[in-house]
Amino acid sequence: MSTSRLVKCLNSNQHIVRSFGSRSTPSSPTPDFIGEYKEPIVKTKTIPGPESKALSEKLNKVQDPRAAHFFADYANSRGNYIADVDGNVLLDLYCQIASIPIGYNNPELIKAAKSDKWISAIINRPSLGVLPPKDWPELIQNSFMQVAPKGLHQVFTAMCGSCANECAYKAVFMHYQHIQRNGAPFTEEDLQSCMKNQVPGSPELSILSFKKGFHGRTFGTLSTTRSKAIHKLDIPAFNWPAATFPDLIYPLEQNEKKNRDIENKCLQEVEHLIKTWPIKVAGLIVEPIQAEGGDNHATPYFFQGLRDITKKYGVAMIVDEVQTGMGATGKFWAHEHWNLSSPPDIVTFSKKMQAAGFYHNIEFRPSESYRNFNTWMGDPLRALELEVVIEQIKKNHLLDNVTITGDYLKNGLFDISNKYPGVLSKIRGDGTFLAIDLPTAAERDAIIAAIRLKGVEMGVCGDKSIRFRPMLICKPNHIDQFLNRFDQTLNELKKN
Amino acid sequence: MSTSRLVKCLNSNQHIVRSFGSRSTPSSPTPDFIGEYKEPIVKTKTIPGPESKALSEKLNKVQDPRAAHFFADYANSRGNYIADVDGNVLLDLYCQIASIPIGYNNPELIKAAKSDKWISAIINRPSLGVLPPKDWPELIQNSFMQVAPKGLHQVFTAMCGSCANECAYKAVFMHYQHIQRNGAPFTEEDLQSCMKNQVPGSPELSILSFKKGFHGRTFGTLSTTRSKAIHKLDIPAFNWPAATFPDLIYPLEQNEKKNRDIENKCLQEVEHLIKTWPIKVAGLIVEPIQAEGGDNHATPYFFQGLRDITKKYGVAMIVDEVQTGMGATGKFWAHEHWNLSSPPDIVTFSKKMQAAGFYHNIEFRPSESYRNFNTWMGDPLRALELEVVIEQIKKNHLLDNVTITGDYLKNGLFDISNKYPGVLSKIRGDGTFLAIDLPTAAERDAIIAAIRLKGVEMGVCGDKSIRFRPMLICKPNHIDQFLNRFDQTLNELKKN
């Protein structure tokens, strides 16, 4: 089937039904989003439509527009639906790369944004480390600490996910060297050599990450990112080690023994790298689910093994919850599913939290101030936003909603998989943090393009996966809209 | 004189007069800030006062509070004055590390923050690269491009100064390798080796910076930062070269020949490093005025020399205007003072711009999309803020105000220097971006502590310098308030 034929045949947005298959749509404790669209609206024959294309040309004169799907009309977006400049309204299952928690134009956020507290935070942007606002300690309690991972009691605030991880690595290196020195002060040689980027002041130390992992785009984090070449080409990198992440065999229930062997082999590789890598490993970073790299999962057994190995060798364990955190797996943190023997040393976050940073305990606070520091040290506005988001998650039972919606979506994907044998594989994930594989990247990309023209905005990951990253307010009725359109899309694909 | 005695004797906030010395206070075309305080108010015997200290203890339970000067009451801050939780009101000449452009609670910013446009930008935070808002191309024109450095026509947007520089380095490395490849596509070896952080895909390339320079705290930028050991200790760094920045002899007018020799020697060192450093130099980064490192200046001759050398060797010239940009030297960009033969390749910005990123031309746009990329790619809210800031700068003649205020401050510092021989040295700078040296760090720090208790918030840099970083709305009458208090402080110091 040619993609152009597929696109043509999908240009008419017909035959949308209101429920999927024979399953009844489950109810959710979460109230409906007031003023939300009832379903997607597709008005143009292509997306991007003519207005988006004109804006892209205009943007091109001052900024790179090539990655844009279309130009959004945020004022007209509502809840789970994103509007574009051509009058289209799409059900958004990608959500700004997994970064919208409680819906476009959420009325509670609008109300809060008009408050004096928010306005002051917006226009009087502080250097938080130097001149914190008077309500900062209380705001930390009412936002970050409301959802602090069990066992972690301090929070370092930052501006984005990459910076959260960069600052976490710095905390890890400072802590590691502090232990090496037995707490002794810096020597004159330390002070002088670091100014030349030389040992011992600038030590040769590494962070171990996993192949296919993604941890950011800055030089430290990019040295641990191993998702795709396009992220890394031409950029100098540290000689840091990467271990193999388990590539589990699906369905999991039928492959428990084989998968245990796979995970054991990966754990052995981690231990081997820690023992033999020429540059001492000070920290290990891992995503609970490798997102950019293809929604790769491992079992709690694997992560328990990582915690044990890192403890054994004095390697700090950093869990990167930038994409998995804040409820998408049905718990606030994906690592809550693991039942570790002791908490991770550091948990990093951003995206749906709106505010970025990392949780830690006091031993990862540097020996002196100004060591892990920068001008803004985060943004109080985003902590205020987080405060509202957490309130809404609790009040509207959004974690329960995620579990119900996720189960319904997963079952629907299995139904569709049975209907079209050999098309979908590796249906996987927790909560609504789900993914499926298509036979090839080309087929996957054709489906994404085709279903966009039926009114669903989706994202990809890995080589041939579709990833689901709906908002926490995505309910089973929204999933019906997706499943029907997905069914249609595959049906039309089959015919071609 | 002991510091504790000094502090004691300064605890009474008496004898504040309304003008300084015999000079008449010049007029400025900038209107007064409506509702601003008339002068500082000091109510507590120490700053931080008791309320700030209590909040510091509270914050300590969840975050490192050690760098905080005091806890601010932003709702009660106005224009050039910052209020604290203890009822003190200080004239702010440090301004959140040079990051407040047009005053606390600026009424135009308050008005704008209440607009639907701002509220939508705040609560519907886009992944700008994927789903830009419909007004994004126009907003870029009305904000960033209004003040684009001459000869640079594209803008890359980011979240903070460190990220602006990191992304600029990436653009430089991609461009350098593109030239090396003569535009040929990546080889299979490139694609595979970069996934292992190995050459040729992850090339060995460097950015040349200057000793005492500061460019950020993330791993790439920190490898170019050479300001202070405390910024660098224990953090692995790339083996990148650092050249000597001119250490000019003051007063400049009497040392032209010697300073020319000093600058020539530095230029020779730069050229030597480019030719001989074992890791190829792809880019050079320089601050127009080294800020953190001690407000170190060079003449236009030096920067013209850097432009010529970088052109000669195909090294990209990055001018880091994170602290110098946006008007503080009396021009929008400090490098406008240089009259270069061709524009810099890249100019980076953040701080007073509120929005961060870098200007460049099309050749520094990567060959493919998603190469210099991240989730947020900046924040439309901060571009909206920049739009208002630029409007206010133009409407209220703030660049003229900066020149008038800066001249008045500089002359006042010379008067005080004459009154207290041997205390102040190297009075230097452009616009209000001024600095002075004290004989020792201890004396400098004692003055900063003492003048805070007279109601002036100030910042330091380098080993023994005070840096002035007032807002663009700081007028000669505010400078009178500072000069009188500074005079008193030095007078009291002398008596002890």
Side-chain angles (χ1 to χ4, degrees):
Chain A
M1 175 211 64
S2 87
T3 304
S4 62
R5 276 180 60 208
L6 169 70
V7 170
K8 261 183 221 158
C9 86
L10 294 175
N11 275 346
S12 64
N13 176 36
Q14 304 293 322
H15 314 298
I16 305 301
V17 293
R18 301 288 306 150
S19 63
F20 179 72
S22 57
R23 275 180 211 276
S24 64
T25 309
S27 67
S28 151
T30 296
D32 289 340
F33 192 101
I34 292 165
E36 204 182 33
Y37 294 89
K38 289 211 162 30
E39 61 180 15
I41 303 163
V42 177
K43 291 196 171 169
T44 56
K45 292 193 173 170
T46 60
I47 297 178
E51 290 293 326
S52 272
K53 284 177 184 165
L55 284 171
S56 183
E57 275 181 40
K58 193 172 170 189
L59 181 59
N60 187 43
K61 289 177 187 139
V62 290
Q63 192 168 76
D64 187 352
R66 290 172 296 175
H69 294 181
F70 53 80
F71 282 72
D73 180 351
Y74 289 106
N76 282 319
S77 302
R78 289 284 181 287
N80 291 278
Y81 297 87
I82 184 165
D84 79 0
V85 286
D86 288 285
N88 302 304
V89 174
L90 288 81
L91 175 65
D92 192 353
L93 299 183
Y94 191 36
C95 300
Q96 314 291 336
I97 322 182
S99 299
I100 301 286
I102 56 172
Y104 295 113
N105 288 302
N106 184 294
E108 295 301 323
L109 287 174
I110 293 175
K111 200 172 94 188
K114 291 178 177 172
S115 68
D116 290 344
K117 198 162 66 167
W118 276 49
I119 290 171
S120 178
I122 293 161
I123 64 165
N124 300 310
R125 197 175 183 188
S127 173
L128 271 172
V130 181
L131 294 167
K134 68 177 180 181
D135 59 357
W136 185 234
E138 193 184 346
L139 179 53
I140 290 183
Q141 285 293 351
N142 292 344
S143 55
F144 303 102
M145 301 323 287
Q146 289 296 307
V147 294
K150 201 178 155 192
L152 299 182
H153 308 293
Q154 295 263 320
V155 66
F156 182 99
T157 45
M159 291 295 294
C160 69
S162 278
C163 286
N165 282 340
E166 290 268 321
C167 291
Y169 297 177
K170 290 176 69 174
V172 163
F173 289 130
M174 289 176 194
H175 174 256
Y176 188 89
Q177 290 296 81
H178 185 75
I179 301 286
Q180 296 298 308
R181 280 191 297 271
N182 283 314
F186 300 111
T187 64
E188 193 55 36
E189 194 187 2
D190 291 331
L191 296 169
Q192 293 195 1
S193 58
C194 78
M195 300 306 285
K196 300 176 190 167
N197 293 6
Q198 291 175 359
V199 292
S202 304
E204 294 214 320
L205 292 174
S206 66
I207 302 286
L208 186 151
S209 62
F210 288 89
K211 291 171 193 169
K212 300 193 180 176
F214 181 93
H215 305 289
R217 302 274 204 155
T218 45
F219 283 78
T221 59
L222 192 60
S223 289
T224 55
T225 284
R226 315 272 180 162
S227 40
K228 295 188 185 118
I230 198 75
H231 301 154
K232 290 174 71 71
L233 281 158
D234 293 344
I235 311 300
F238 290 108
N239 181 23
W240 291 355
T244 309
F245 192 83
D247 184 8
L248 299 184
I249 303 167
Y250 286 76
L252 297 180
E253 309 75 48
Q254 294 162 33
N255 294 283
E256 280 189 20
K257 170 76 179 66
K258 280 187 199 160
N259 285 334
R260 179 60 57 99
D261 290 346
I262 288 170
E263 293 194 328
N264 276 328
K265 216 175 142 191
C266 291
L267 289 171
Q268 283 157 20
E269 189 184 338
V270 167
E271 189 161 7
H272 179 75
L273 283 169
I274 291 172
K275 287 199 289 188
T276 62
W277 194 257
I279 298 173
K280 276 270 175 232
V281 177
L284 171 151
I285 187 162
V286 66
E287 294 159 276
I289 303 162
Q290 289 190 323
E292 295 296 321
D295 269 36
N296 308 315
H297 290 254
T299 72
Y301 171 82
F302 176 71
F303 295 104
Q304 288 160 9
L306 290 182
R307 176 70 289 192
D308 293 343
I309 292 169
T310 50
K311 276 275 179 202
K312 181 175 170 189
Y313 292 97
V315 169
M317 181 174 178
I318 308 169
V319 178
D320 179 343
E321 294 245 27
V322 167
Q323 190 154 166
T324 50
M326 208 58 190
T329 68
K331 294 184 184 284
F332 272 112
W333 303 104
H335 78 266
E336 291 177 57
H337 295 274
W338 301 343
N339 194 24
L340 294 183
S341 56
S342 61
D345 294 298
I346 285 178
V347 174
T348 65
F349 57 85
S350 183
K351 288 194 181 269
K352 270 197 286 295
M353 297 273 282
Q354 301 297 316
F358 64 88
Y359 295 98
H360 63 100
N361 277 332
I362 196 84
E363 64 266 28
F364 283 89
R365 181 187 287 185
S367 60
E368 290 170 63
S369 56
Y370 293 108
R371 296 191 65 196
N372 215 352
F373 189 81
N374 54 60
T375 298
W376 284 320
M377 301 289 286
D379 188 340
L381 167 63
R382 300 306 173 186
L384 286 166
E385 200 169 353
L386 177 61
E387 188 182 24
V388 175
V389 169
I390 293 169
E391 265 171 30
Q392 291 299 303
I393 290 175
K394 291 184 174 174
K395 185 178 164 205
N396 292 330
H397 314 284
L398 297 185
L399 296 189
D400 292 340
N401 177 64
V402 164
T403 302
I404 292 164
T405 302
D407 285 349
Y408 186 60
L409 172 54
K410 206 176 202 177
N411 285 328
L413 291 169
F414 278 117
D415 288 348
I416 287 186
S417 176
N418 292 333
K419 192 168 168 188
Y420 303 94
V423 179
L424 305 190
S425 59
K426 292 177 73 172
I427 295 166
R428 58 198 185 276
D430 302 307
T432 54
F433 201 105
L434 300 176
I436 50 176
D437 276 12
L438 279 297
T440 64
E443 284 164 280
R444 186 259 322 259
D445 295 345
I447 288 170
I448 291 288
I451 203 164
R452 186 173 292 143
L453 285 175
K454 292 186 185 297
V456 185
E457 167 72 359
M458 302 194 71
V460 303
C461 63
D463 296 327
K464 53 184 184 179
S465 304
I466 292 176
R467 58 174 150 173
F468 296 88
R469 296 294 182 272
M471 301 169 194
L472 308 178
I473 58 162
C474 182
K475 295 173 66 176
N477 61 300
H478 302 109
I479 296 306
D480 276 336
Q481 296 173 14
F482 159 71
L483 289 170
N484 280 305
R485 284 163 179 78
F486 193 44
D487 183 24
Q488 274 183 34
T489 303
L490 294 178
N491 194 35
E492 287 158 355
L493 256 164
K494 198 175 69 172
K495 283 187 204 152
N496 288 276
Chain B
M1 175 212 64
S2 86
T3 305
S4 63
R5 275 178 60 207
L6 169 71
V7 171
K8 259 184 221 157
C9 86
L10 294 175
N11 276 344
S12 64
N13 175 36
Q14 304 294 324
H15 314 298
I16 306 300
V17 292
R18 299 289 306 151
S19 63
F20 179 70
S22 57
R23 276 181 210 276
S24 64
T25 309
S27 67
S28 151
T30 296
D32 289 339
F33 191 102
I34 292 164
E36 203 182 35
Y37 294 89
K38 289 210 162 32
E39 62 179 14
I41 302 163
V42 178
K43 291 196 172 171
T44 55
K45 292 193 174 169
T46 60
I47 298 177
E51 290 293 325
S52 272
K53 285 177 184 165
L55 284 171
S56 183
E57 276 181 40
K58 195 173 169 190
L59 181 58
N60 187 44
K61 289 178 186 138
V62 290
Q63 192 169 76
D64 187 352
R66 289 172 296 175
H69 294 180
F70 53 80
F71 281 72
D73 179 351
Y74 289 106
N76 283 318
S77 302
R78 286 286 181 288
N80 291 279
Y81 297 87
I82 184 167
D84 80 359
V85 287
D86 287 285
N88 302 304
V89 175
L90 287 81
L91 175 65
D92 192 354
L93 300 182
Y94 191 37
C95 300
Q96 314 292 336
I97 321 182
S99 300
I100 299 286
I102 56 172
Y104 294 113
N105 288 301
N106 185 294
E108 295 300 323
L109 287 174
I110 293 175
K111 200 172 93 188
K114 291 177 176 172
S115 69
D116 290 345
K117 198 162 65 167
W118 276 49
I119 289 171
S120 178
I122 292 160
I123 65 165
N124 299 312
R125 197 176 184 187
S127 173
L128 272 172
V130 181
L131 294 167
K134 67 176 178 181
D135 60 356
W136 185 234
E138 192 184 347
L139 180 53
I140 289 183
Q141 285 293 351
N142 293 344
S143 55
F144 302 103
M145 301 323 286
Q146 289 296 308
V147 294
K150 201 178 156 191
L152 299 181
H153 308 292
Q154 294 263 320
V155 66
F156 182 99
T157 44
M159 291 296 293
C160 69
S162 279
C163 286
N165 283 339
E166 291 268 320
C167 291
Y169 297 177
K170 289 175 69 173
V172 163
F173 289 130
M174 290 175 194
H175 173 256
Y176 188 90
Q177 289 296 82
H178 185 74
I179 300 287
Q180 296 298 308
R181 279 190 297 271
N182 284 314
F186 300 111
T187 65
E188 194 55 37
E189 195 188 2
D190 291 332
L191 296 169
Q192 293 195 2
S193 57
C194 79
M195 300 305 285
K196 300 176 188 167
N197 293 6
Q198 289 174 1
V199 292
S202 304
E204 293 214 320
L205 292 174
S206 66
I207 302 286
L208 186 152
S209 61
F210 288 90
K211 292 172 192 168
K212 300 194 180 173
F214 181 94
H215 304 290
R217 303 274 204 155
T218 44
F219 283 78
T221 59
L222 192 61
S223 289
T224 55
T225 285
R226 314 275 179 160
S227 41
K228 294 188 184 119
I230 198 76
H231 302 152
K232 291 175 70 73
L233 282 158
D234 292 345
I235 311 301
F238 290 108
N239 180 23
W240 291 355
T244 308
F245 192 83
D247 185 7
L248 300 184
I249 302 167
Y250 286 77
L252 297 179
E253 309 75 46
Q254 294 161 35
N255 294 283
E256 281 189 19
K257 171 76 178 67
K258 279 187 200 161
N259 285 334
R260 179 59 59 99
D261 291 345
I262 288 170
E263 293 193 328
N264 277 328
K265 217 176 141 190
C266 291
L267 289 170
Q268 283 157 20
E269 188 184 338
V270 167
E271 188 161 8
H272 179 75
L273 283 169
I274 290 173
K275 288 199 289 188
T276 62
W277 193 257
I279 299 173
K280 276 270 176 232
V281 177
L284 171 150
I285 187 162
V286 66
E287 295 159 277
I289 302 162
Q290 289 191 322
E292 295 296 321
D295 269 36
N296 308 315
H297 290 255
T299 72
Y301 171 82
F302 176 72
F303 295 104
Q304 288 160 9
L306 289 182
R307 175 70 289 191
D308 294 343
I309 292 170
T310 50
K311 276 275 179 203
K312 181 176 170 187
Y313 291 97
V315 169
M317 182 173 177
I318 308 168
V319 178
D320 179 343
E321 293 244 28
V322 168
Q323 191 153 164
T324 51
M326 209 53 192
T329 67
K331 293 183 185 285
F332 272 112
W333 303 105
H335 78 267
E336 291 176 57
H337 295 275
W338 302 342
N339 194 25
L340 293 183
S341 56
S342 61
D345 295 296
I346 285 178
V347 174
T348 65
F349 57 85
S350 184
K351 288 194 181 267
K352 269 195 288 294
M353 297 273 282
Q354 299 299 313
F358 63 87
Y359 294 98
H360 63 100
N361 277 332
I362 196 84
E363 64 266 27
F364 283 88
R365 183 188 285 186
S367 59
E368 290 171 63
S369 56
Y370 293 109
R371 295 191 65 195
N372 215 352
F373 189 82
N374 54 60
T375 297
W376 283 320
M377 301 289 287
D379 188 340
L381 167 63
R382 301 306 173 186
L384 287 167
E385 200 169 354
L386 177 60
E387 188 182 23
V388 175
V389 170
I390 292 169
E391 265 171 28
Q392 291 299 304
I393 289 175
K394 292 185 173 174
K395 185 178 163 204
N396 292 329
H397 314 284
L398 297 186
L399 296 188
D400 293 339
N401 178 63
V402 164
T403 302
I404 292 163
T405 302
D407 286 347
Y408 186 59
L409 172 54
K410 205 176 201 177
N411 286 327
L413 291 168
F414 278 117
D415 288 347
I416 287 186
S417 176
N418 291 334
K419 191 169 168 188
Y420 303 94
V423 178
L424 304 190
S425 59
K426 293 177 71 172
I427 295 166
R428 60 197 183 274
D430 301 307
T432 54
F433 201 105
L434 301 177
I436 50 175
D437 277 13
L438 278 298
T440 64
E443 283 164 281
R444 186 260 321 261
D445 295 346
I447 288 169
I448 291 288
I451 203 164
R452 186 172 292 142
L453 284 175
K454 291 185 186 299
V456 185
E457 167 71 358
M458 302 193 71
V460 303
C461 64
D463 296 327
K464 53 185 184 179
S465 303
I466 291 175
R467 58 174 150 174
F468 295 89
R469 296 295 182 270
M471 302 168 194
L472 308 178
I473 58 162
C474 182
K475 295 174 65 176
N477 62 300
H478 302 109
I479 297 306
D480 276 336
Q481 295 173 16
F482 159 71
L483 289 170
N484 279 305
R485 284 163 180 77
F486 193 44
D487 183 25
Q488 274 183 34
T489 304
L490 293 178
N491 194 34
E492 287 159 355
L493 256 163
K494 196 174 71 172
K495 283 189 203 151
N496 288 275

